[in-house]
Amino acid sequence: ETLQRIVSTLANKNDEIHNFIDMLNHTIKNVQVNSSNAISELDEEFDGLYSILDEMKGSMASTIQQEEACKIQALQ
């Protein structure tokens, strides 16, 4: 009877351990998915920011070139 209780307790603990391992594996998968989503969103955000900066660069370069042309023309 004592041996049966010990075996039963060990079987229950084994089930608990397997359930805990399953829960950890599920948590790991969720962390991986969340991390991947966060990286994708970050990539999109930086791509958008780069695009805006590139447009601003073009606009500022154009303004500088126009000012240069006006100044050179005024000096000539």
Side-chain angles (χ1 to χ4, degrees):
E1 184 178 322
T2 304
L3 183 58
Q4 182 61 35
R5 279 197 323 259
I6 292 170
V7 169
S8 178
T9 300
L10 288 174
N12 288 337
K13 294 298 178 186
N14 189 43
D15 288 343
E16 288 177 21
I17 289 170
H18 282 288
N19 288 336
F20 184 67
I21 289 170
D22 289 343
M23 183 191 70
L24 288 176
N25 285 332
H26 181 70
T27 302
I28 287 169
K29 287 177 185 175
N30 285 340
V31 167
Q32 289 171 330
V33 167
N34 290 341
S35 296
S36 179
N37 289 342
I39 289 171
S40 293
E41 290 174 12
L42 186 65
D43 284 342
E44 288 177 19
E45 186 71 23
F46 271 93
D47 287 346
L49 290 172
Y50 179 78
S51 177
I52 290 168
L53 286 173
D54 197 43
E55 288 176 21
M56 289 177 66
K57 174 187 170 187
S59 174
M60 292 173 87
S62 176
T63 300
I64 290 170
Q65 289 171 344
Q66 288 173 0
E67 286 182 22
E68 176 189 27
C70 287
K71 288 178 181 179
I72 289 174
Q73 186 178 12
L75 290 171
Q76 286 177 341

